[in-house]
Amino acid sequence: MPEITVTALQSLKLKGEKITMLTCYDATFARAASQAGVEVLLVGDSLGMVLQGHSSTLPVSTADMAYHVACVKRGNLDALILADLPFMAYATLEQTLANSAAVMQAGAHMVKLEGAAWLADSVRLLAERGVPVCVHLGLTPQSVNVLGGYKVQGRQESQARQMRADALALEQAGAAMILLECVPSELAAEITQAAKVPVIGIGAGSATDGQVLVLHDMLGLSLSGRVPKFVKNFMRGQPDIQSALSAYVSEVKAVSFPASEHGFSA
Ligand code: KIV
């Protein structure tokens, strides 16, 4: 069992203490990030872009995810390991169960699904069978071809209303956590206030219960050369990677990251 459990994350929300999450794909970084006090290690399907060099997350398989979860598990100290189910790995309820089992048996403590209210049956099914679920709303990179690019979501009032309703419907279905990506800061603040479960943001302002960044981004590494507005390079001014990871944890806990320049307006 990790020391950081779903219950521990829930207590952080209740106490008003910010939750720290970073993506992580291997044992050495798992050790460094958990040693720095990162509470959640997200084995994200962003590994398709940052490790495998693809231009999207779509080519990632469940076998890839299980392999990297197992690597992270070996280096982790006491963080909670959250694993993405990749593109089309939860298209049916049968696939959802089988692919969740694969990453949980590899060492994950929670799975993350991208989508909206249509995920409710999957969330309920998994939660009833002992799998905590984080739902990823807003910019959902697996749907990049439907969204027409990596764009801020929820700027129009109708979209914002829908996102608020989706978040609460998924919480009602049993989601243990909500992740909001590239959402106007005000909307993210409203969803965080309305939700009982922790809400983690990336490009969603400082009012969410916690923050996540892609590890390579916050270490100043970029394959494409394009750095999203919500990224801060924590290597700047730090002597080494371990100090950069600690600076991330301190700044998230102190609510000095993200600053207003890292967020989006409606
Ligand atoms: O896959 C990933 O790294 C993610 C983060 C961008 C939140 O889902």
Side-chain angles (χ1 to χ4, degrees), residues 21-25 42-47 57 65 84 112 114 136 139 141-142 179-181 201-202 212-215 217 230:
M21 183 189 297
L22 276 180
T23 69
C24 190
Y25 319 102
L42 167 60
V43 185
D45 60 355
S46 52
L47 68 85
T57 59
M65 295 307 303
D84 268 334
K112 175 159 79 61
E114 294 183 9
H136 182 153
L139 170 54
Q142 291 171 17
L179 189 148
L180 299 176
E181 178 166 355
I202 175 165
V212 60
L213 282 178
V214 170
L215 176 69
D217 287 346
F230 54 78

Side-chain angles (χ1 to χ4, degrees), residues 6 8 10 14 39 88 98 100 139 145 150 162-163 167 173 197 203 216-217 224 244 253-254 260:
V6 174
Q10 187 66 51
L14 289 176
E39 282 131 352
M88 284 296 156
S100 298
L139 170 54
N145 292 301
Y150 297 99
Q162 187 62 55
M163 207 185 298
V197 297
H216 293 58
D217 287 346
S224 68
K253 293 283 180 193
S260 55

Side-chain angles (χ1 to χ4, degrees), residues 54-83:
H54 296 295
S55 58
S56 78
T57 59
L58 272 62
V60 177
S61 67
T62 300
D64 293 334
M65 295 307 303
Y67 171 81
H68 287 282
V69 167
C71 295
V72 167
K73 176 190 161 72
R74 287 181 213 116
N76 179 34
L77 294 174
D78 52 13
L80 182 139
I81 301 175
L82 169 61

Side-chain angles (χ1 to χ4, degrees), residues 114 136-141 147 149-153 181-183:
E114 294 183 9
H136 182 153
L137 308 181
L139 170 54
T140 47
L147 300 176
Y150 297 99
K151 299 174 185 167
V152 179
Q153 302 296 310
E181 178 166 355
C182 290
V183 168

